[in-house]
């Protein structure tokens, strides 16, 4: 067989066959998985013929540009070829280490097809369900990335430098992003994988319930959920328990009887795949191998006997609440700490009918100044933060529809999430003080039924949007704009009834979320009601001089003037006295602290 990395088994004629797919970690090689492959062949040596497929993946070079979705697609193609050439396999085992564990989980999910209601990435949209997916018996993850990595002071200096380099390349030069860039916390690939797994589990639970219900009409759909085993090192110096165990998706999914968490004593990130001693501790290496073999062949009772309760690792995650049917995100902007979000959430709950349980999700990313807000990669990090929150909400409220109220940067988070995360869906969406481009395409998510209704509140004196985001809209490289001041184009011309806009709430940037508007916000989120034309607090016109000034894109000229003045000053600073330099630095610090960071 010509597929690189495939090794046929040596079992006796007529023995049932097993295919083990083994995926190495980031910056590692197929050879590094030698102990794992050998132990896998040994596990069934007396009863089965075990074929192993250990491919060398693109990310064995740490900075190689290979998107995670493309890596998954390539592995799927190779497996398809293997199962066509080889005689039918009795079962298939997926094994992955580190980044390879994340890839292994997604390979299975894509092979299993998209569950109802789940929208996958463009790369996978034409992928068909594989018959071999139903033969996947177990998925064994060693030292896996589950939620995704993030830069943390707890990382070693070596990993911190490496992740910072990968993050810089990915954000500044996305075409050359290394695979590990797609595995960061909240990144589209990671969030989509987590949402895919949640949707898959819901599908399997529904199929299992249908099988148990004899009154079901017609033949029941088959339920198939492989056993998922996570092996984590007790001293992993790369992945924290917070990342190793996706507590909201795996460990808190209603007591999943097919999920097992097993600890490996005296094991760090790299030694998790070493079953022969390299540091003199033969006992620890043998113990790792023993637990790995149980993960491969043990019964659920065997696994339960050596497993750890994942809920013991993190205790602040609430149990899933299946009664909640509606949940609203209320997300603040860049210039406040989000205290008002709790008041809006309170109004939503007050206006809601008693028959429906309505929950509010009001997380905060803290104060976010204007200067870093301009940088695209900083904004995208906030989107990733939000999508991590979104996955948590979907896991906690599995039967809920989700609504959204956003102000300022909060509007950007939802708008960008709808572009980058196909599985992100909302029912009613309200924007106020929007910093999104006026040409944003709302018709697409509405046509895809990922948004049911949208309302944009435009202020009469929103100088923040008028002077900065609107000025940047002329540059296509910026996904910012003046929709909070000029409105959305699709709301003006041939707008479908699902896209609404209300002009003009009296006031500046925060007018749309002021106390006087809380009832209007709640009415829209709960019942889809648009504020009437005679609603209190609205006027017919915007401030004339501000509208004229915003049309000149004056902010760009001011910024250009600052650069022209500051750069020569820096060049000439060497000729100034030390006290003059100190004075300039002091003035600059004061301007940053009391002016720029308060815009």
């Amino acid at each position: 067989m010509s597929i690189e990395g495939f090794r046929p088994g040596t079992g006796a004629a007529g023995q049932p066959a097993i295919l083990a797919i083994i995926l190495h970690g980031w910056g590692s090689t197929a050879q590094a998985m030698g102990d794992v492959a050998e132990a896998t062949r040994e596990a069934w040596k007396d009863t089965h013929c075990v074929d192993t497929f250990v491919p060398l993946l693109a990310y064995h070079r740490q900075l190689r540009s290979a998107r995670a979705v493309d890596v998954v697609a390539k592995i799927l193609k190779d497996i398809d070829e293997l199962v066509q050439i080889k005689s039918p396999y009795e079962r298939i085992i997926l094994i992955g280490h580190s980044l390879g564990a994340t890839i292994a989980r997604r390979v299975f999910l894509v092979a299993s097809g998209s569950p109802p209601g789940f929208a996958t990435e463009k790369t996978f949209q034409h992928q068909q369900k594989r018959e071999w997916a139903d033969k996947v018996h177990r998925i064994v993850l060693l030292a896996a990335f589950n939620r995704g990595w993030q830069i943390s002071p707890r990382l070693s200096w070596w990993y911190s430098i490496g992740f910072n380099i990968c993050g810089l390349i990915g954000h500044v030069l996305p075409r050359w992003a290394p695979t590990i860039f797609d595995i960061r916390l909240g990144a589209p690939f990671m969030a989509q994988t987590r949402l895919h797994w949640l949707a898959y589990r819901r599908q399997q639970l529904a199929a299992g319930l249908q099988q148990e219900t004899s009154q079901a009409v017609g033949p029941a759909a088959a339920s198939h959920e492989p056993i998922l085993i996570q092996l984590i090192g007790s001293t992993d110096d790369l992945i924290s328990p917070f990342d190793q165990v996706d507590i909201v998706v795996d460990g808190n999914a209603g007591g999943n009887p097919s999920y097992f968490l097993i600890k490996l004593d005296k094991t760090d990130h790299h030694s998790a795949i070493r079953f022969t001693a390299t540091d003199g501790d033969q006992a620890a290496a043998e113990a790792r191998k023993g637990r790995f073999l149980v993960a491969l062949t043990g019964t659920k009772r065997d696994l339960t006997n050596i497993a750890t309760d994942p809920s013991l690792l993190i205790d602040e995650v609430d149990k899933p609440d299946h009664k909640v049917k509606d949940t609203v995100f209320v997300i603040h902007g860049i210039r406040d700490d989000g205290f008002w979000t709790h008041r809006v959430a309170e109004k939503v709950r007050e206006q809601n009918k008693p028959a429906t349980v309505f929950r509010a999700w009001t997380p905060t990313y803290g104060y976010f100044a204007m200067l870093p807000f301009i940088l695209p990669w900083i904004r995208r990090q906030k989107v990733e933060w939000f999508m991590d929150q979104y996955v948590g909400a979907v896991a906690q409220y599995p039967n809920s529809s989700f609504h959204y109220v956003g102000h300022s940067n909060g509007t950007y988070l939802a708008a960008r999430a709808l572009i980058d995360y196909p599985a992100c869906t909302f029912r009613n969406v309200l924007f106020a003080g929007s910093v999104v481009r006026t040409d944003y395409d709302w018709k697409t998510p509405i046509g895809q039924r990922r948004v049911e209704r949208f309302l944009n509140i435009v202020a009469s004196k929103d100088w923040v949007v008028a002077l900065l985001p609107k000025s940047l809209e002329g540059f296509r490289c910026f996904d910012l704009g003046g929709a909070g001041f000029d409105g959305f184009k699709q709301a003006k011309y041939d707008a479908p009834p699902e896209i609404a806009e209300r002009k003009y709430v009296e006031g500046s940037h925060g007018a749309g979320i002021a106390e006087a508007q809380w009832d209007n916000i709640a009415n829209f989120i709960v019942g889809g009601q648009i504020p009437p034309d005679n609603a209190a607090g609205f006027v017919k016109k915007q401030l004339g001089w501000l509208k004229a000034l915003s049309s000149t894109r004056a902010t760009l000229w001011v910024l250009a003037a600052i650069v022209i003045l500051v750069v020569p000053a820096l060049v000439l600073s060497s000729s100034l006295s030390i006290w003059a330099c100190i004075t300039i630095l002091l003035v600059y610090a004061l301007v940053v602290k009391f002016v720029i960071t308060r815009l």
Side-chain angles (χ1 to χ4, degrees):
M1 190 170 293
S2 61
I3 297 180
E4 184 179 357
F6 177 77
R7 176 178 168 179
T10 58
Q15 278 188 332
I18 293 176
L19 174 62
I21 296 125
I22 303 172
L23 307 179
H24 64 77
W26 178 51
S28 186
T29 63
Q31 289 74 22
M33 302 298 289
D35 285 357
V36 173
E38 185 61 34
T40 301
R41 287 187 287 267
E42 178 185 325
W44 292 281
K45 64 181 180 180
D46 296 327
T47 59
H48 291 75
C49 174
V50 182
D51 296 345
T52 55
F53 176 47
V54 193
L56 180 65
L57 301 171
Y59 54 76
H60 74 279
R61 296 177 180 173
Q62 293 179 331
L63 297 182
R64 182 170 177 179
S65 176
R67 304 320 297 259
V69 290
D70 296 325
V71 174
V72 171
K74 175 63 168 60
I75 295 171
L76 286 167
K77 182 180 178 181
D78 289 342
I79 298 174
D80 289 342
E81 186 175 342
L82 284 173
V83 297
Q84 287 176 4
I85 297 174
K86 184 77 175 182
S87 59
Y89 288 102
E90 180 186 83
R91 72 185 76 163
I92 295 174
I93 310 295
L94 287 169
I95 303 168
H97 172 240
S98 188
L99 192 157
T102 308
I103 297 295
R105 188 194 293 239
R106 196 63 190 278
V107 164
F108 167 74
L109 289 171
V110 177
S112 299
S114 291
F118 175 80
T120 191
E121 298 94 315
K122 186 178 296 184
T123 302
F124 301 139
Q125 285 177 358
H126 301 293
Q127 295 280 354
Q128 300 297 319
K129 183 183 185 304
R130 271 76 168 175
E131 292 183 4
W132 57 259
D134 293 333
K135 296 184 179 180
V136 175
H137 181 250
R138 299 195 181 197
I139 303 174
V140 181
L141 311 178
L142 297 121
F145 288 98
N146 284 289
R147 295 188 64 188
W149 60 266
Q150 59 182 326
I151 303 299
S152 165
R154 293 181 293 274
L155 280 176
S156 69
W157 66 271
W158 176 253
Y159 288 132
S160 182
I161 291 173
F163 282 156
N164 272 294
I165 292 174
C166 292
L168 179 63
I169 294 173
H171 284 299
V172 179
L173 302 170
R175 288 189 178 183
W176 287 272
T179 310
I180 196 69
F181 180 73
D182 291 334
I183 313 299
R184 66 197 186 282
L185 180 71
F189 180 82
M190 289 302 299
Q192 286 283 128
T193 298
R194 298 171 71 201
L195 291 170
H196 198 164
W197 187 257
L198 285 169
Y200 172 80
R201 287 215 69 243
R202 285 197 297 268
Q203 181 187 37
Q204 298 310 308
L205 289 171
L209 182 62
Q210 188 179 9
Q211 287 176 333
E212 295 174 2
T213 305
S214 58
Q215 294 83 5
V217 178
S223 174
H224 168 72
E225 183 171 358
I227 297 175
L228 179 69
I229 305 111
Q230 282 193 250
L231 299 168
I232 64 173
S234 59
T235 59
D236 196 314
D237 54 345
L238 175 59
I239 304 178
S240 69
F242 187 67
D243 179 16
Q244 281 182 322
V245 181
D246 193 344
I247 207 75
V248 300
V249 171
D250 290 319
N252 195 30
N256 184 357
S258 296
Y259 172 74
F260 299 92
L261 173 67
I262 299 174
K263 287 186 178 181
L264 303 176
D265 295 332
K266 298 181 180 180
T267 302
D268 61 20
H269 189 72
H270 296 286
S271 64
I273 57 173
R274 295 172 184 163
F275 302 153
T276 54
T278 57
D279 54 1
D281 196 344
Q282 184 64 33
E286 291 178 355
R288 282 195 291 270
K289 180 179 179 180
R291 295 209 156 189
F292 176 73
L293 291 174
V294 174
L296 288 180
T297 63
T299 65
K300 287 189 176 182
R301 176 175 294 182
D302 295 332
L303 293 168
T304 301
N305 289 337
I306 63 173
T308 298
D309 183 355
S311 64
L312 299 177
L313 293 176
I314 305 174
D315 57 9
E316 67 265 22
V317 179
D318 294 329
K319 294 294 182 182
D321 190 339
H322 297 270
K323 296 180 181 178
V324 175
K325 302 300 181 183
D326 290 274
T327 303
V328 58
F329 286 96
V330 189
I331 307 296
H332 63 83
I334 67 173
R335 303 189 311 120
D336 64 65
D337 292 307
F339 300 134
W340 61 271
T341 62
H342 301 280
R343 302 301 185 188
V344 170
E346 180 183 8
K347 283 291 183 182
V348 169
R349 287 190 287 263
E350 287 177 358
Q351 302 254 344
N352 185 42
K353 296 178 181 179
T356 304
V357 178
F358 217 111
R359 290 288 184 267
W361 200 282
T362 58
T364 176
Y365 48 79
Y367 191 91
F368 187 20
M370 182 70 79
L371 196 59
F373 167 71
I374 298 175
L375 302 176
W377 52 88
I378 302 297
R379 293 197 306 276
R380 299 292 172 84
Q381 287 176 358
K382 303 302 181 184
V383 179
E384 294 160 9
W385 164 85
F386 167 69
M387 284 306 299
D388 184 64
Q389 296 288 324
Y390 181 89
V391 175
V394 172
Q396 188 170 340
Y397 305 127
N399 296 323
S400 178
S401 295
F402 294 93
H403 310 263
Y404 192 93
V405 176
H407 172 247
S408 189
N409 186 56
T411 68
Y412 175 84
L413 300 187
R416 192 70 219 182
L418 288 168
I419 294 174
D420 293 340
Y421 301 79
C424 177
T425 61
F426 300 110
R427 190 172 173 186
N428 296 329
V429 177
L430 183 145
F431 281 3
S434 175
V435 296
V436 179
R437 294 180 62 90
T438 59
D439 58 0
Y440 185 85
D441 180 16
W442 283 106
K443 292 182 179 179
T444 295
I446 287 175
Q448 296 170 340
R449 298 184 178 181
R450 296 172 55 211
V451 173
E452 186 171 315
R453 301 184 193 89
F454 171 72
L455 173 62
N456 185 44
I457 304 296
V458 181
S460 63
K461 306 173 186 177
D462 195 337
W463 61 270
V464 173
V465 174
L467 297 183
L468 186 60
K470 180 177 176 178
S471 297
L472 297 172
E473 190 166 353
F475 298 90
R476 298 300 304 181
C477 58
F478 281 96
D479 52 356
L480 296 174
F485 188 77
D486 291 335
F488 287 99
K489 292 180 180 178
Q490 289 186 351
K492 299 176 183 178
Y493 308 109
D494 299 324
E498 296 86 358
I499 302 176
E501 197 160 73
R502 192 65 178 85
K503 299 177 179 180
Y504 298 97
V505 62
E506 174 67 18
S508 59
H509 192 49
I513 55 160
E515 184 175 358
Q517 299 302 319
W518 292 350
D519 284 333
N520 289 331
I521 294 173
N523 286 335
F524 177 77
I525 293 300
V526 174
Q529 300 177 25
I530 309 298
D533 292 339
N534 60 351
F538 284 83
V539 296
K540 298 296 184 182
K541 295 181 179 180
Q542 288 179 305
L543 199 61
W545 67 265
L546 180 59
K547 191 170 184 178
L549 179 62
S550 69
S551 299
T552 67
R553 305 289 198 269
T555 305
L556 292 180
W557 296 106
V558 172
L559 293 174
I562 291 174
V563 172
I564 292 172
L565 293 174
V566 169
V567 171
L570 293 175
V571 174
L572 296 174
S573 63
S574 59
S575 62
L576 299 176
S577 69
I578 184 64
W579 294 110
C581 292
I582 292 175
T583 302
I584 292 173
L585 290 173
L586 179 61
V587 171
Y588 172 76
L590 292 174
V591 169
V592 169
K593 180 174 178 60
F594 294 109
V595 180
I596 295 178
T597 60
R598 292 294 161 181
L599 286 177

